[in-house]
Amino acid sequence: MDGMARISAFLRGAVVSSAIGALTAGSVAVQAATFGAGIENSQWYLSESVFECTLVHQVPGYGRAVFRHKAGESLSFFLESETPLMRPGQAQLVMEAPSWRPGTAPRPLGRVNVDDSRRPLMLESRLAMVLVQSLLEGMDPTVTRESWYDGSPVRVKVSNINFAGQFSGYRSCTAGLLPVNYDQIKRSRISFASGSTSLSDADRRFLDNIVMYIQADSTVERVFVDGHTDSSGSRIDNRALSEERANAVADYLIGQGIEADLVTTRAHADQYPVSRRPADNRRTTIRLQREGERPDLQQANGYETATPNT
């Protein structure tokens, strides 16, 4: 079955509303294919770990609606569908009252972007929290956009039924999230003042986050710690200085509980500059490697996440 046939089948299987209100002031009511769970099949599923908390809602005939909070990041919301039913462009986001609350006026929230990916709608933290509050108030967030199929409206409705109970567990989950996620720390950098090998309090707090993550993620199998300098000294002096900088970071990680055989230290002097600014090159980099990841051929070079306030 080709893409157009799949879309047609989806639309034929959708619940078709008899009429919906005007999408914007002054427009006429039109029929729309509406995808959404009813009272009998509306469920929310909570997935929780120290790495991520998610609330997943199955939207029959369409796909999923997901609230996600990754460690070290803010809450987000997205719709997910294997088949792109909506035409890319601006969709209308409205908080609608369910059918058993007649007389409650809908609350338009404006337009949101829709694309043709598997996650056609992605909302950042502020709007995601607005959706949460609306669901807790018994409203149904609804996204309406023209279809790929024939230009008629496609509506995806997120049901509030059974949301509140699972959201309580979700809040407990977010309280236990790690302070950082893997993508934020897999390549990190500690900066140093000229000639210095000392760690600041901010450096130690940042390294504490790395330690906490490694201790929670059993798939981290290697920690590469590489010391670097600028080019202001002799090669011999810079080699020794870069080694001291690498050891300062490695010793702190090990002292905080990282197994020593996990850590590999290397000293590169001024061999791998990342900038023309000397301050950018006075650094120690930390790179994590998980099981199954292909080792980086340029392990000592490249760009890293910097310690906050450096």
Side-chain angles (χ1 to χ4, degrees):
M1 182 183 292
D2 61 22
M4 187 62 71
R6 287 199 302 270
I7 293 172
S8 178
F10 268 114
L11 292 176
R12 287 196 302 271
V15 177
V16 180
S17 63
S18 59
I20 63 172
L23 298 182
T24 57
S27 64
V28 296
V30 293
Q31 286 192 334
T34 300
F35 298 90
I39 296 176
E40 73 288 348
N41 63 349
S42 177
Q43 295 294 333
W44 287 87
Y45 301 96
L46 172 63
S47 175
E48 49 189 325
S49 72
V50 296
F51 307 108
E52 180 175 296
C53 306
T54 58
L55 274 173
V56 179
H57 174 61
Q58 296 294 333
V59 182
Y62 178 80
R64 307 191 307 162
V66 181
F67 288 99
R68 179 176 65 182
H69 193 148
K70 293 180 66 175
E73 298 182 9
S74 300
L75 175 68
S76 64
F77 171 85
F78 58 86
L79 293 178
E80 188 171 74
S81 178
E82 293 295 333
T83 304
L85 299 183
M86 295 183 180
R87 182 175 297 169
Q90 293 283 297
Q92 189 76 13
L93 177 61
V94 178
M95 303 299 107
E96 297 184 355
S99 58
W100 57 89
R101 293 178 58 186
T104 303
R107 298 201 304 265
L109 290 184
R111 296 188 175 276
V112 290
N113 288 324
V114 168
D115 62 31
D116 59 356
S117 69
R118 289 183 64 250
R119 294 178 178 174
L121 177 70
M122 300 279 294
L123 300 182
E124 43 76 33
S125 180
R126 185 189 67 82
L127 271 180
M129 284 304 302
V130 171
L131 265 61
V132 166
Q133 188 59 40
S134 296
L135 288 163
L136 292 174
E137 293 172 356
M139 302 292 278
D140 293 339
T142 304
V143 179
T144 305
R145 175 62 185 160
E146 294 178 358
S147 72
W148 271 111
Y149 180 61
D150 60 4
S152 62
V154 169
R155 303 172 72 239
V156 177
K157 179 175 290 190
V158 180
S159 173
N160 70 82
I161 299 172
N162 297 315
F163 176 79
Q166 293 289 12
F167 185 71
S168 177
Y170 168 84
R171 292 185 64 182
S172 298
C173 175
T174 59
L177 286 172
L178 293 171
V180 292
N181 62 57
Y182 184 70
D183 290 336
Q184 292 173 328
I185 60 166
K186 63 182 178 181
R187 292 189 70 92
S188 306
R189 180 182 75 242
I190 300 293
S191 296
F192 292 90
S194 180
S196 174
T197 62
S198 298
L199 299 175
S200 68
D201 289 341
D203 294 334
R204 293 186 181 92
R205 288 193 296 270
F206 185 70
L207 292 174
D208 286 342
N209 288 341
I210 294 178
V211 169
M212 193 179 304
Y213 183 87
I214 294 172
Q215 291 175 334
D217 187 350
S218 60
T219 67
V220 176
E221 62 179 7
R222 300 287 297 278
V223 181
F224 295 97
V225 180
D226 294 279
H228 302 265
T229 69
D230 59 30
S231 58
S232 60
S234 70
R235 179 57 60 86
I236 293 176
D237 290 342
N238 284 341
R239 174 80 177 188
L241 180 59
S242 65
E243 184 174 6
E244 290 180 40
R245 286 173 175 167
N247 287 336
V249 171
D251 290 346
Y252 186 84
L253 294 174
I254 294 169
Q256 295 303 107
I258 300 303
E259 296 181 12
D261 59 1
L262 225 63
V263 181
T264 299
T265 60
R266 298 175 295 192
H268 304 283
D270 59 354
Q271 186 177 0
Y272 296 110
V274 294
S275 170
R276 294 183 179 181
R277 296 179 65 246
D280 293 338
N281 299 319
R282 298 191 293 264
R283 71 200 194 279
T284 290
T285 64
I286 306 103
R287 188 178 66 81
L288 310 186
Q289 181 178 303
R290 281 172 162 171
E291 295 173 0
E293 288 183 338
R294 182 178 179 181
D296 191 344
L297 298 179
Q298 297 284 334
Q299 289 169 353
N301 205 354
Y303 296 93
E304 308 88 16
T305 301
T307 309
N309 302 320
T310 61

